Amino acid sequence: MFTPPADRPLVNLRFYTIAPRRMAEFLELFDRLAMPVLLRSLGAPIGFYTSTVGPLNQVVHLWAYRDMADMEARWQARDSDPAFAEYLRASGHLIVAQEDRLLRAAALPSLAGPSGSPPAGGA
């Protein structure tokens, strides 16, 4: 299980539903065109997944931020990058639906180690 860094408690959970039988094409395009921009502007994701049970043809990714202002500034950097516009143009026909959620980290003492950080090797 992944956890956001302690200094970035706001997590953006994003779902893309991809057209049937187009997942490989979408992943190649996303990796080639979107990921370089996202790594520059958003930093590394917490995780990046594809669905295998439940709703199929979904890509799920999570990104962590310090707060709303940090997220908005990073999104602005992403959206103003001409290479991201190229990705949007190239991928539009592959994406059937998108869903976006913002999650805030819950402070649970049981998840904190003696120093107040998550247990080693745990979450």
Side-chain angles (χ1 to χ4, degrees):
M1 180 165 92
F2 293 97
T3 57
D7 67 334
R8 292 186 283 150
L10 181 66
V11 173
N12 176 227
L13 172 63
R14 185 165 286 209
F15 299 84
Y16 291 145
T17 302
I18 306 304
R21 294 170 299 285
R22 306 299 290 270
M23 183 64 77
E25 181 182 357
F26 174 79
L27 290 174
E28 186 281 325
L29 192 86
F30 191 91
D31 193 45
R32 182 169 44 88
L33 297 180
M35 280 305 286
V37 175
L38 299 177
L39 291 171
R40 280 193 306 270
S41 56
L42 306 183
I46 295 171
F48 194 96
Y49 308 91
T50 58
S51 61
T52 57
V53 175
L56 298 178
N57 304 314
Q58 287 194 326
V59 173
V60 180
H61 42 110
L62 299 96
W63 305 85
Y65 305 97
R66 287 186 303 275
D67 52 32
M68 290 293 290
D70 179 44
M71 183 187 76
E72 290 170 356
R74 290 174 184 273
W75 284 11
Q76 175 62 35
R78 174 199 64 197
D79 294 347
S80 64
D81 190 314
F84 195 67
E86 179 184 350
Y87 155 72
L88 293 175
R89 281 190 300 278
S91 65
H93 69 288
L94 300 171
I95 300 170
V96 174
Q98 292 177 258
E99 184 179 339
D100 215 17
R101 297 182 190 173
L102 288 179
L103 310 169
R104 291 206 180 272
L108 298 177
S110 60
L111 295 178
S115 66
S117 59

